[in-house]
Amino acid sequence: MTFAVIRIPGFALQAVLRLEPGLSRRAVVLLGDGRRGGVWQMSTPAVRDGVERGMTAAQVLARCPGAIIRARSFSAEESVSRILISCSRSFAPRVEATEPGLCTVDLRGVLPRHRAEHPRRILRQLAQFGLKGRVGLARTPALARFVSLRADPVLEVDGEEEEVFLRTFPLALAELSPSLEARLTEWGITSLGAFRRLSRQSVGDRLGKEGQDLWDRVRGRDSCVLRPASLPETFEENVEFETPLETLEPLLFYVRRFVDQLALRLADACRAAEKVILELTREHAPSLRREFELPEPTTRSEILFRMLGTHLESLKSERRLTGVSLRVIPCPIQSKQRELFDAAVRDPHHFAETLARLAAVVGAGNVGSPRLTPTHRPDAFCMDTLNTEEKDRPETAGPPPPGPALRRFRPPFPARVRMRDGRPRSVASRVLDATLRDVRGPWRISGEWWRQDRWSREEWDVEVIGGGLYRLVREGETWSVEGMYD
Amino acid sequence: MADSEQREKLVALREMLRERFPGSVPAAGTETFATGLPELDSQLGGGLPLGGMTEVVADGPSCGVQWFFSALVNVSAVNRRLVALVDRWDAWDPRSAASTALEYLLWVRCREAGQAVRAADILVRDGNIPLILMDMRPTAGSAADRIPSQGWYRLQRCAEQSRAVLAVASGHCGGSVPGCRLRLRLDRHFRLEHLEFSHEELAEAWKADVRYRGGAGREGRAV
């Protein structure tokens, strides 16, 4: 067996249903060409209720009042096609996207034991994405395709079993054109095995090229050259919801599916995710977009999902969500060896998740590494991202500043200060109400005179009777207690 | 029963439990986190205990708790280790540490006690940051937060598992963090002249009364 065909039966219907697993046991009907088209595919319960292909929606509801009607989703089908190609590539590198929902894999060069193990592994992988597949293995692509039609879920037919298999293969399952099938049925040919016994010349004379092509396929004389599917260039998944979402759980379900799909495709392309872009479209409101820089490129879906899940759990929106888009910016997979005494963060992904959780608790602007801004304005700083890479941090720490640390009151407490001889004598405020033992100052500082928010102030360091050092500040005529030296 | 007699019985009971169930009660760790303050490290036998909580208590204002935390930030930077500060009242001044040391600091600025406890819990469980400082002291005019005991015990257990050093300034004069392995009491107020002291001079002037919990003490009195 040198070729495998992996197919997803009811491809268009499965593409829609996998995102709505609650409908898997219901009678579901898929309309082709939008909701005005006739029935394209239907689920097994719908078939049992008498729904037929080509029926209109009204006819379906008349036959089966409880039927769920859905329109084809081409974006969902593209997504499933990409999953199928990526899963097939885990079998062998030469994969052809033969048609939507069907891939042909060239097994030449694959070890025999892998040919036995991989089909079921691929089906398990597809099942993780909510898809049911079938795998057929045979010596040519066309024969493998026929075999896949009868697989349940894996079937291999080698050279000796071909004739037996084809003898019992009904024409109705062979995906023939209606005219060809009708002609053959007229002749009393009901199986591919019977057709195979005809001569090629006579088939060509009577049925033309279509008949000859079928004869070549049944005899295993079709072309074995595959058109390899190209590697994915973009890594993006998106969906528009059938009904707008109001709660988190269904959104997390979609995001989880997308993350798993994208991780699979990244691994297939030997790429890792270095950045993730999440966009949520909302009803009558601008979409919410967020970019996530990963501390280290990764292909692990659980890391990506935890990062997105933490963000979504803290997200609030007054509008319902109408769609979600997830895009991954890839980079080559890097391997690096840490140094023996490397003091960098042990687990960057876990730490990134920790930072996200902290941001969810206290707010994104309230967690990070402070940076002094280049100004003399008091208490001027900004919050930056903590640098977790050992090599990017300064090699040596500078000397610590002299004196006790200032414990700031944010905002400063207003105060009434009684002066004597131009120096503070006592202070009354919410933070302290005392007579001063000793006072140093004033230190007059000002800055940024060219700006609207220019500042000018007078600072005093005071010691209170009974213990305690404080900084008093006068701006204009207003006094405040800015902090305590501790 | 007199307090000292009661305390001795408690210490003896803990030692007996430690001998009977060695796995359940972690022994006084020989692993420590050096504070960079020679006298304190000498008293502590190397530094703050790894995998345990240390409570820092001040007897009044300007006793040096903030300075001690800033010194720990600086010594972490010298050793190229990350340090986290959970700041309950958003009172820390970035200029109290060397500017290069700020690159090693993760500052979590909170608005309420629940945020601070949750943030500390997240950081201790993470295990990537070896030193976590919690400043729960109220600004004057506010009451000190009452954190339920089980909250502190949970932090203590997480610190034991992650081997992090958790130093807590609770703001309660008598100490209020149950389960802490070590308590440092600061009772010397800074004076105005200390504003001009260098870091080394202040380190000599700053003093902590060291108290251990249970039989873990090498020196100093039991909690």
Side-chain angles (χ1 to χ4, degrees), chain A residues 346 354 368-369 394 398 403 407 463 469 485-486, chain B residues 62 64 90 100 102 104 107 126-127 137 191 197:
Chain A
R346 286 195 300 265
T354 294
S369 187
R407 189 156 194 264
E463 183 177 344
L469 299 179
Y485 290 102
D486 182 27
Chain B
S62 302
D90 190 22
T100 47
L102 298 180
Y104 293 82
W107 185 19
D126 176 77
R137 294 174 298 154
R191 305 293 300 272
F197 278 29

mmCIF file with all atom_site columns, all heavy atoms in Angstrom, chain A residues 346 354 368-369 394 398 403 407 463 469 485-486, chain B residues 62 64 90 100 102 104 107 126-127 137 191 197:
data_model
loop_
_atom_site.group_PDB
_atom_site.id
_atom_site.type_symbol
_atom_site.label_atom_id
_atom_site.label_alt_id
_atom_site.label_comp_id
_atom_site.label_asym_id
_atom_site.label_entity_id
_atom_site.label_seq_id
_atom_site.pdbx_PDB_ins_code
_atom_site.Cartn_x
_atom_site.Cartn_y
_atom_site.Cartn_z
_atom_site.occupancy
_atom_site.B_iso_or_equiv
_atom_site.pdbx_formal_charge
_atom_site.auth_seq_id
_atom_site.auth_comp_id
_atom_site.auth_asym_id
_atom_site.auth_atom_id
_atom_site.pdbx_PDB_model_num
ATOM 1   N N   . ARG A 1 346 ? 12.956 30.932 35.641 1.00 0.00 ? 346 ARG A N   1
ATOM 2   C CA  . ARG A 1 346 ? 13.056 29.496 35.303 1.00 0.00 ? 346 ARG A CA  1
ATOM 3   C C   . ARG A 1 346 ? 12.042 29.100 34.244 1.00 0.00 ? 346 ARG A C   1
ATOM 4   O O   . ARG A 1 346 ? 12.336 28.324 33.349 1.00 0.00 ? 346 ARG A O   1
ATOM 5   C CB  . ARG A 1 346 ? 12.826 28.652 36.553 1.00 0.00 ? 346 ARG A CB  1
ATOM 6   C CG  . ARG A 1 346 ? 13.978 28.658 37.536 1.00 0.00 ? 346 ARG A CG  1
ATOM 7   C CD  . ARG A 1 346 ? 13.799 27.516 38.524 1.00 0.00 ? 346 ARG A CD  1
ATOM 8   N NE  . ARG A 1 346 ? 12.561 27.647 39.275 1.00 0.00 ? 346 ARG A NE  1
ATOM 9   C CZ  . ARG A 1 346 ? 12.489 28.224 40.470 1.00 0.00 ? 346 ARG A CZ  1
ATOM 10  N NH1 . ARG A 1 346 ? 13.557 28.729 41.008 1.00 0.00 ? 346 ARG A NH1 1
ATOM 11  N NH2 . ARG A 1 346 ? 11.341 28.308 41.107 1.00 0.00 ? 346 ARG A NH2 1
ATOM 12  N N   . THR A 1 354 ? 1.718  34.485 35.262 1.00 0.00 ? 354 THR A N   1
ATOM 13  C CA  . THR A 1 354 ? 1.623  35.091 36.594 1.00 0.00 ? 354 THR A CA  1
ATOM 14  C C   . THR A 1 354 ? 1.442  36.598 36.476 1.00 0.00 ? 354 THR A C   1
ATOM 15  O O   . THR A 1 354 ? 0.613  37.201 37.175 1.00 0.00 ? 354 THR A O   1
ATOM 16  C CB  . THR A 1 354 ? 2.889  34.770 37.409 1.00 0.00 ? 354 THR A CB  1
ATOM 17  O OG1 . THR A 1 354 ? 2.942  33.370 37.656 1.00 0.00 ? 354 THR A OG1 1
ATOM 18  C CG2 . THR A 1 354 ? 2.924  35.525 38.723 1.00 0.00 ? 354 THR A CG2 1
ATOM 19  N N   . GLY A 1 368 ? 4.503  45.994 37.479 1.00 0.00 ? 368 GLY A N   1
ATOM 20  C CA  . GLY A 1 368 ? 5.607  46.125 36.538 1.00 0.00 ? 368 GLY A CA  1
ATOM 21  C C   . GLY A 1 368 ? 6.849  46.588 37.265 1.00 0.00 ? 368 GLY A C   1
ATOM 22  O O   . GLY A 1 368 ? 6.931  46.571 38.501 1.00 0.00 ? 368 GLY A O   1
ATOM 23  N N   . SER A 1 369 ? 7.789  47.017 36.495 1.00 0.00 ? 369 SER A N   1
ATOM 24  C CA  . SER A 1 369 ? 9.061  47.470 37.044 1.00 0.00 ? 369 SER A CA  1
ATOM 25  C C   . SER A 1 369 ? 9.120  48.990 36.917 1.00 0.00 ? 369 SER A C   1
ATOM 26  O O   . SER A 1 369 ? 8.923  49.530 35.827 1.00 0.00 ? 369 SER A O   1
ATOM 27  C CB  . SER A 1 369 ? 10.197 46.817 36.246 1.00 0.00 ? 369 SER A CB  1
ATOM 28  O OG  . SER A 1 369 ? 11.426 47.088 36.818 1.00 0.00 ? 369 SER A OG  1
ATOM 29  N N   . PRO A 1 394 ? 21.150 45.094 34.114 1.00 0.00 ? 394 PRO A N   1
ATOM 30  C CA  . PRO A 1 394 ? 22.478 45.678 34.347 1.00 0.00 ? 394 PRO A CA  1
ATOM 31  C C   . PRO A 1 394 ? 23.385 44.682 35.080 1.00 0.00 ? 394 PRO A C   1
ATOM 32  O O   . PRO A 1 394 ? 22.933 43.928 35.944 1.00 0.00 ? 394 PRO A O   1
ATOM 33  C CB  . PRO A 1 394 ? 22.210 46.899 35.218 1.00 0.00 ? 394 PRO A CB  1
ATOM 34  C CG  . PRO A 1 394 ? 20.781 46.916 35.514 1.00 0.00 ? 394 PRO A CG  1
ATOM 35  C CD  . PRO A 1 394 ? 20.075 45.893 34.726 1.00 0.00 ? 394 PRO A CD  1
ATOM 36  N N   . GLY A 1 398 ? 23.993 49.846 41.123 1.00 0.00 ? 398 GLY A N   1
ATOM 37  C CA  . GLY A 1 398 ? 24.612 51.061 41.616 1.00 0.00 ? 398 GLY A CA  1
ATOM 38  C C   . GLY A 1 398 ? 24.487 51.159 43.123 1.00 0.00 ? 398 GLY A C   1
ATOM 39  O O   . GLY A 1 398 ? 23.820 50.341 43.760 1.00 0.00 ? 398 GLY A O   1
ATOM 40  N N   . GLY A 1 403 ? 20.513 57.795 53.378 1.00 0.00 ? 403 GLY A N   1
ATOM 41  C CA  . GLY A 1 403 ? 19.396 58.167 54.238 1.00 0.00 ? 403 GLY A CA  1
ATOM 42  C C   . GLY A 1 403 ? 18.277 57.144 54.230 1.00 0.00 ? 403 GLY A C   1
ATOM 43  O O   . GLY A 1 403 ? 18.263 56.208 53.421 1.00 0.00 ? 403 GLY A O   1
ATOM 44  N N   . ARG A 1 407 ? 8.557  56.922 52.680 1.00 0.00 ? 407 ARG A N   1
ATOM 45  C CA  . ARG A 1 407 ? 7.303  56.194 52.470 1.00 0.00 ? 407 ARG A CA  1
ATOM 46  C C   . ARG A 1 407 ? 6.258  57.228 52.071 1.00 0.00 ? 407 ARG A C   1
ATOM 47  O O   . ARG A 1 407 ? 5.805  58.017 52.887 1.00 0.00 ? 407 ARG A O   1
ATOM 48  C CB  . ARG A 1 407 ? 6.896  55.470 53.746 1.00 0.00 ? 407 ARG A CB  1
ATOM 49  C CG  . ARG A 1 407 ? 5.733  54.539 53.555 1.00 0.00 ? 407 ARG A CG  1
ATOM 50  C CD  . ARG A 1 407 ? 5.699  53.435 54.594 1.00 0.00 ? 407 ARG A CD  1
ATOM 51  N NE  . ARG A 1 407 ? 4.773  52.402 54.173 1.00 0.00 ? 407 ARG A NE  1
ATOM 52  C CZ  . ARG A 1 407 ? 3.509  52.312 54.549 1.00 0.00 ? 407 ARG A CZ  1
ATOM 53  N NH1 . ARG A 1 407 ? 3.022  53.218 55.392 1.00 0.00 ? 407 ARG A NH1 1
ATOM 54  N NH2 . ARG A 1 407 ? 2.727  51.358 54.097 1.00 0.00 ? 407 ARG A NH2 1
ATOM 55  N N   . GLU A 1 463 ? 11.230 66.509 62.269 1.00 0.00 ? 463 GLU A N   1
ATOM 56  C CA  . GLU A 1 463 ? 11.191 65.416 63.244 1.00 0.00 ? 463 GLU A CA  1
ATOM 57  C C   . GLU A 1 463 ? 10.169 65.795 64.301 1.00 0.00 ? 463 GLU A C   1
ATOM 58  O O   . GLU A 1 463 ? 10.169 66.907 64.834 1.00 0.00 ? 463 GLU A O   1
ATOM 59  C CB  . GLU A 1 463 ? 12.556 65.209 63.888 1.00 0.00 ? 463 GLU A CB  1
ATOM 60  C CG  . GLU A 1 463 ? 12.583 64.038 64.868 1.00 0.00 ? 463 GLU A CG  1
ATOM 61  C CD  . GLU A 1 463 ? 13.966 63.790 65.449 1.00 0.00 ? 463 GLU A CD  1
ATOM 62  O OE1 . GLU A 1 463 ? 14.952 64.318 64.882 1.00 0.00 ? 463 GLU A OE1 1
ATOM 63  O OE2 . GLU A 1 463 ? 14.061 63.084 66.458 1.00 0.00 ? 463 GLU A OE2 1
ATOM 64  N N   . LEU A 1 469 ? 9.949  60.922 61.396 1.00 0.00 ? 469 LEU A N   1
ATOM 65  C CA  . LEU A 1 469 ? 10.498 61.907 60.448 1.00 0.00 ? 469 LEU A CA  1
ATOM 66  C C   . LEU A 1 469 ? 9.532  62.023 59.286 1.00 0.00 ? 469 LEU A C   1
ATOM 67  O O   . LEU A 1 469 ? 9.084  61.002 58.736 1.00 0.00 ? 469 LEU A O   1
ATOM 68  C CB  . LEU A 1 469 ? 11.854 61.430 59.897 1.00 0.00 ? 469 LEU A CB  1
ATOM 69  C CG  . LEU A 1 469 ? 12.988 61.202 60.881 1.00 0.00 ? 469 LEU A CG  1
ATOM 70  C CD1 . LEU A 1 469 ? 14.221 60.721 60.131 1.00 0.00 ? 469 LEU A CD1 1
ATOM 71  C CD2 . LEU A 1 469 ? 13.298 62.470 61.652 1.00 0.00 ? 469 LEU A CD2 1
ATOM 72  N N   . TYR A 1 485 ? 9.734  59.387 56.491 1.00 0.00 ? 485 TYR A N   1
ATOM 73  C CA  . TYR A 1 485 ? 11.016 58.718 56.343 1.00 0.00 ? 485 TYR A CA  1
ATOM 74  C C   . TYR A 1 485 ? 11.019 57.502 57.275 1.00 0.00 ? 485 TYR A C   1
ATOM 75  O O   . TYR A 1 485 ? 10.777 57.615 58.470 1.00 0.00 ? 485 TYR A O   1
ATOM 76  C CB  . TYR A 1 485 ? 12.166 59.661 56.714 1.00 0.00 ? 485 TYR A CB  1
ATOM 77  C CG  . TYR A 1 485 ? 12.381 60.766 55.723 1.00 0.00 ? 485 TYR A CG  1
ATOM 78  C CD1 . TYR A 1 485 ? 11.925 62.063 55.984 1.00 0.00 ? 485 TYR A CD1 1
ATOM 79  C CD2 . TYR A 1 485 ? 13.032 60.521 54.514 1.00 0.00 ? 485 TYR A CD2 1
ATOM 80  C CE1 . TYR A 1 485 ? 12.126 63.087 55.064 1.00 0.00 ? 485 TYR A CE1 1
ATOM 81  C CE2 . TYR A 1 485 ? 13.237 61.543 53.592 1.00 0.00 ? 485 TYR A CE2 1
ATOM 82  C CZ  . TYR A 1 485 ? 12.781 62.819 53.870 1.00 0.00 ? 485 TYR A CZ  1
ATOM 83  O OH  . TYR A 1 485 ? 12.974 63.816 52.960 1.00 0.00 ? 485 TYR A OH  1
ATOM 84  N N   . ASP A 1 486 ? 11.290 56.376 56.682 1.00 0.00 ? 486 ASP A N   1
ATOM 85  C CA  . ASP A 1 486 ? 11.168 55.155 57.489 1.00 0.00 ? 486 ASP A CA  1
ATOM 86  C C   . ASP A 1 486 ? 12.347 54.218 57.206 1.00 0.00 ? 486 ASP A C   1
ATOM 87  O O   . ASP A 1 486 ? 12.534 53.814 56.061 1.00 0.00 ? 486 ASP A O   1
ATOM 88  C CB  . ASP A 1 486 ? 9.829  54.454 57.163 1.00 0.00 ? 486 ASP A CB  1
ATOM 89  C CG  . ASP A 1 486 ? 9.605  53.220 57.990 1.00 0.00 ? 486 ASP A CG  1
ATOM 90  O OD1 . ASP A 1 486 ? 10.135 53.139 59.112 1.00 0.00 ? 486 ASP A OD1 1
ATOM 91  O OD2 . ASP A 1 486 ? 8.904  52.311 57.517 1.00 0.00 ? 486 ASP A OD2 1
ATOM 92  N N   . SER B 2 62  ? 8.984  55.677 61.558 1.00 0.00 ? 62  SER B N   1
ATOM 93  C CA  . SER B 2 62  ? 10.385 55.931 61.209 1.00 0.00 ? 62  SER B CA  1
ATOM 94  C C   . SER B 2 62  ? 11.341 54.994 61.941 1.00 0.00 ? 62  SER B C   1
ATOM 95  O O   . SER B 2 62  ? 12.402 55.403 62.412 1.00 0.00 ? 62  SER B O   1
ATOM 96  C CB  . SER B 2 62  ? 10.769 57.402 61.512 1.00 0.00 ? 62  SER B CB  1
ATOM 97  O OG  . SER B 2 62  ? 9.943  58.282 60.806 1.00 0.00 ? 62  SER B OG  1
ATOM 98  N N   . GLY B 2 64  ? 12.455 52.240 60.327 1.00 0.00 ? 64  GLY B N   1
ATOM 99  C CA  . GLY B 2 64  ? 13.332 51.664 59.320 1.00 0.00 ? 64  GLY B CA  1
ATOM 100 C C   . GLY B 2 64  ? 12.776 50.482 58.559 1.00 0.00 ? 64  GLY B C   1
ATOM 101 O O   . GLY B 2 64  ? 13.542 49.760 57.915 1.00 0.00 ? 64  GLY B O   1
ATOM 102 N N   . ASP B 2 90  ? 0.373  51.399 48.144 1.00 0.00 ? 90  ASP B N   1
ATOM 103 C CA  . ASP B 2 90  ? 1.054  52.123 47.065 1.00 0.00 ? 90  ASP B CA  1
ATOM 104 C C   . ASP B 2 90  ? 1.912  53.235 47.641 1.00 0.00 ? 90  ASP B C   1
ATOM 105 O O   . ASP B 2 90  ? 1.796  54.408 47.274 1.00 0.00 ? 90  ASP B O   1
ATOM 106 C CB  . ASP B 2 90  ? 0.014  52.706 46.080 1.00 0.00 ? 90  ASP B CB  1
ATOM 107 C CG  . ASP B 2 90  ? 0.677  53.259 44.832 1.00 0.00 ? 90  ASP B CG  1
ATOM 108 O OD1 . ASP B 2 90  ? 1.803  52.842 44.524 1.00 0.00 ? 90  ASP B OD1 1
ATOM 109 O OD2 . ASP B 2 90  ? 0.073  54.123 44.170 1.00 0.00 ? 90  ASP B OD2 1
ATOM 110 N N   . THR B 2 100 ? 19.511 51.222 39.066 1.00 0.00 ? 100 THR B N   1
ATOM 111 C CA  . THR B 2 100 ? 19.779 49.941 38.400 1.00 0.00 ? 100 THR B CA  1
ATOM 112 C C   . THR B 2 100 ? 19.073 48.792 39.102 1.00 0.00 ? 100 THR B C   1
ATOM 113 O O   . THR B 2 100 ? 18.759 47.773 38.495 1.00 0.00 ? 100 THR B O   1
ATOM 114 C CB  . THR B 2 100 ? 21.284 49.656 38.353 1.00 0.00 ? 100 THR B CB  1
ATOM 115 O OG1 . THR B 2 100 ? 21.838 49.901 39.653 1.00 0.00 ? 100 THR B OG1 1
ATOM 116 C CG2 . THR B 2 100 ? 21.971 50.550 37.339 1.00 0.00 ? 100 THR B CG2 1
ATOM 117 N N   . LEU B 2 102 ? 16.123 48.872 40.210 1.00 0.00 ? 102 LEU B N   1
ATOM 118 C CA  . LEU B 2 102 ? 14.708 48.848 39.839 1.00 0.00 ? 102 LEU B CA  1
ATOM 119 C C   . LEU B 2 102 ? 14.429 47.812 38.761 1.00 0.00 ? 102 LEU B C   1
ATOM 120 O O   . LEU B 2 102 ? 13.301 47.329 38.628 1.00 0.00 ? 102 LEU B O   1
ATOM 121 C CB  . LEU B 2 102 ? 14.270 50.235 39.354 1.00 0.00 ? 102 LEU B CB  1
ATOM 122 C CG  . LEU B 2 102 ? 14.380 51.360 40.387 1.00 0.00 ? 102 LEU B CG  1
ATOM 123 C CD1 . LEU B 2 102 ? 13.908 52.677 39.779 1.00 0.00 ? 102 LEU B CD1 1
ATOM 124 C CD2 . LEU B 2 102 ? 13.573 51.045 41.630 1.00 0.00 ? 102 LEU B CD2 1
ATOM 125 N N   . TYR B 2 104 ? 15.299 44.917 38.705 1.00 0.00 ? 104 TYR B N   1
ATOM 126 C CA  . TYR B 2 104 ? 15.105 43.597 39.291 1.00 0.00 ? 104 TYR B CA  1
ATOM 127 C C   . TYR B 2 104 ? 13.815 43.535 40.117 1.00 0.00 ? 104 TYR B C   1
ATOM 128 O O   . TYR B 2 104 ? 13.505 42.501 40.694 1.00 0.00 ? 104 TYR B O   1
ATOM 129 C CB  . TYR B 2 104 ? 16.280 43.243 40.209 1.00 0.00 ? 104 TYR B CB  1
ATOM 130 C CG  . TYR B 2 104 ? 17.575 43.061 39.465 1.00 0.00 ? 104 TYR B CG  1
ATOM 131 C CD1 . TYR B 2 104 ? 18.355 44.153 39.092 1.00 0.00 ? 104 TYR B CD1 1
ATOM 132 C CD2 . TYR B 2 104 ? 18.006 41.786 39.112 1.00 0.00 ? 104 TYR B CD2 1
ATOM 133 C CE1 . TYR B 2 104 ? 19.534 43.979 38.386 1.00 0.00 ? 104 TYR B CE1 1
ATOM 134 C CE2 . TYR B 2 104 ? 19.185 41.610 38.416 1.00 0.00 ? 104 TYR B CE2 1
ATOM 135 C CZ  . TYR B 2 104 ? 19.945 42.706 38.047 1.00 0.00 ? 104 TYR B CZ  1
ATOM 136 O OH  . TYR B 2 104 ? 21.103 42.523 37.353 1.00 0.00 ? 104 TYR B OH  1
ATOM 137 N N   . TRP B 2 107 ? 6.961  45.541 41.055 1.00 0.00 ? 107 TRP B N   1
ATOM 138 C CA  . TRP B 2 107 ? 6.198  46.327 42.016 1.00 0.00 ? 107 TRP B CA  1
ATOM 139 C C   . TRP B 2 107 ? 4.717  46.130 41.730 1.00 0.00 ? 107 TRP B C   1
ATOM 140 O O   . TRP B 2 107 ? 4.250  46.398 40.625 1.00 0.00 ? 107 TRP B O   1
ATOM 141 C CB  . TRP B 2 107 ? 6.610  47.800 41.868 1.00 0.00 ? 107 TRP B CB  1
ATOM 142 C CG  . TRP B 2 107 ? 6.017  48.751 42.852 1.00 0.00 ? 107 TRP B CG  1
ATOM 143 C CD1 . TRP B 2 107 ? 5.459  48.465 44.065 1.00 0.00 ? 107 TRP B CD1 1
ATOM 144 C CD2 . TRP B 2 107 ? 5.940  50.169 42.697 1.00 0.00 ? 107 TRP B CD2 1
ATOM 145 N NE1 . TRP B 2 107 ? 5.051  49.608 44.676 1.00 0.00 ? 107 TRP B NE1 1
ATOM 146 C CE2 . TRP B 2 107 ? 5.333  50.685 43.868 1.00 0.00 ? 107 TRP B CE2 1
ATOM 147 C CE3 . TRP B 2 107 ? 6.330  51.064 41.713 1.00 0.00 ? 107 TRP B CE3 1
ATOM 148 C CZ2 . TRP B 2 107 ? 5.105  52.040 44.054 1.00 0.00 ? 107 TRP B CZ2 1
ATOM 149 C CZ3 . TRP B 2 107 ? 6.097  52.418 41.898 1.00 0.00 ? 107 TRP B CZ3 1
ATOM 150 C CH2 . TRP B 2 107 ? 5.490  52.893 43.055 1.00 0.00 ? 107 TRP B CH2 1
ATOM 151 N N   . ASP B 2 126 ? 4.027  31.088 42.165 1.00 0.00 ? 126 ASP B N   1
ATOM 152 C CA  . ASP B 2 126 ? 4.737  31.093 40.888 1.00 0.00 ? 126 ASP B CA  1
ATOM 153 C C   . ASP B 2 126 ? 6.098  30.435 41.008 1.00 0.00 ? 126 ASP B C   1
ATOM 154 O O   . ASP B 2 126 ? 6.496  29.639 40.171 1.00 0.00 ? 126 ASP B O   1
ATOM 155 C CB  . ASP B 2 126 ? 4.862  32.537 40.396 1.00 0.00 ? 126 ASP B CB  1
ATOM 156 C CG  . ASP B 2 126 ? 5.678  32.620 39.121 1.00 0.00 ? 126 ASP B CG  1
ATOM 157 O OD1 . ASP B 2 126 ? 5.135  32.295 38.064 1.00 0.00 ? 126 ASP B OD1 1
ATOM 158 O OD2 . ASP B 2 126 ? 6.863  33.009 39.191 1.00 0.00 ? 126 ASP B OD2 1
ATOM 159 N N   . GLY B 2 127 ? 6.833  30.796 42.052 1.00 0.00 ? 127 GLY B N   1
ATOM 160 C CA  . GLY B 2 127 ? 8.113  30.145 42.293 1.00 0.00 ? 127 GLY B CA  1
ATOM 161 C C   . GLY B 2 127 ? 9.278  30.722 41.509 1.00 0.00 ? 127 GLY B C   1
ATOM 162 O O   . GLY B 2 127 ? 10.415 30.279 41.651 1.00 0.00 ? 127 GLY B O   1
ATOM 163 N N   . ARG B 2 137 ? 1.449  47.738 55.891 1.00 0.00 ? 137 ARG B N   1
ATOM 164 C CA  . ARG B 2 137 ? 1.286  48.769 56.918 1.00 0.00 ? 137 ARG B CA  1
ATOM 165 C C   . ARG B 2 137 ? 0.345  49.843 56.415 1.00 0.00 ? 137 ARG B C   1
ATOM 166 O O   . ARG B 2 137 ? 0.457  50.283 55.270 1.00 0.00 ? 137 ARG B O   1
ATOM 167 C CB  . ARG B 2 137 ? 2.632  49.385 57.252 1.00 0.00 ? 137 ARG B CB  1
ATOM 168 C CG  . ARG B 2 137 ? 3.599  48.424 57.916 1.00 0.00 ? 137 ARG B CG  1
ATOM 169 C CD  . ARG B 2 137 ? 4.955  49.074 58.080 1.00 0.00 ? 137 ARG B CD  1
ATOM 170 N NE  . ARG B 2 137 ? 5.534  49.432 56.796 1.00 0.00 ? 137 ARG B NE  1
ATOM 171 C CZ  . ARG B 2 137 ? 6.420  50.411 56.632 1.00 0.00 ? 137 ARG B CZ  1
ATOM 172 N NH1 . ARG B 2 137 ? 6.781  51.145 57.665 1.00 0.00 ? 137 ARG B NH1 1
ATOM 173 N NH2 . ARG B 2 137 ? 6.904  50.665 55.447 1.00 0.00 ? 137 ARG B NH2 1
ATOM 174 N N   . ARG B 2 191 ? 16.501 59.589 63.312 1.00 0.00 ? 191 ARG B N   1
ATOM 175 C CA  . ARG B 2 191 ? 16.523 61.005 63.636 1.00 0.00 ? 191 ARG B CA  1
ATOM 176 C C   . ARG B 2 191 ? 16.867 61.780 62.376 1.00 0.00 ? 191 ARG B C   1
ATOM 177 O O   . ARG B 2 191 ? 17.262 61.213 61.360 1.00 0.00 ? 191 ARG B O   1
ATOM 178 C CB  . ARG B 2 191 ? 17.577 61.267 64.732 1.00 0.00 ? 191 ARG B CB  1
ATOM 179 C CG  . ARG B 2 191 ? 17.405 60.434 65.990 1.00 0.00 ? 191 ARG B CG  1
ATOM 180 C CD  . ARG B 2 191 ? 16.128 60.804 66.753 1.00 0.00 ? 191 ARG B CD  1
ATOM 181 N NE  . ARG B 2 191 ? 16.141 62.201 67.170 1.00 0.00 ? 191 ARG B NE  1
ATOM 182 C CZ  . ARG B 2 191 ? 16.673 62.619 68.324 1.00 0.00 ? 191 ARG B CZ  1
ATOM 183 N NH1 . ARG B 2 191 ? 17.235 61.773 69.165 1.00 0.00 ? 191 ARG B NH1 1
ATOM 184 N NH2 . ARG B 2 191 ? 16.606 63.897 68.642 1.00 0.00 ? 191 ARG B NH2 1
ATOM 185 N N   . PHE B 2 197 ? 23.121 60.069 56.507 1.00 0.00 ? 197 PHE B N   1
ATOM 186 C CA  . PHE B 2 197 ? 23.969 58.882 56.647 1.00 0.00 ? 197 PHE B CA  1
ATOM 187 C C   . PHE B 2 197 ? 24.019 58.133 55.317 1.00 0.00 ? 197 PHE B C   1
ATOM 188 O O   . PHE B 2 197 ? 23.034 58.040 54.595 1.00 0.00 ? 197 PHE B O   1
ATOM 189 C CB  . PHE B 2 197 ? 23.401 57.951 57.722 1.00 0.00 ? 197 PHE B CB  1
ATOM 190 C CG  . PHE B 2 197 ? 23.769 58.332 59.123 1.00 0.00 ? 197 PHE B CG  1
ATOM 191 C CD1 . PHE B 2 197 ? 24.018 59.654 59.469 1.00 0.00 ? 197 PHE B CD1 1
ATOM 192 C CD2 . PHE B 2 197 ? 23.862 57.364 60.101 1.00 0.00 ? 197 PHE B CD2 1
ATOM 193 C CE1 . PHE B 2 197 ? 24.348 59.996 60.764 1.00 0.00 ? 197 PHE B CE1 1
ATOM 194 C CE2 . PHE B 2 197 ? 24.196 57.693 61.403 1.00 0.00 ? 197 PHE B CE2 1
ATOM 195 C CZ  . PHE B 2 197 ? 24.439 59.014 61.746 1.00 0.00 ? 197 PHE B CZ  1
#
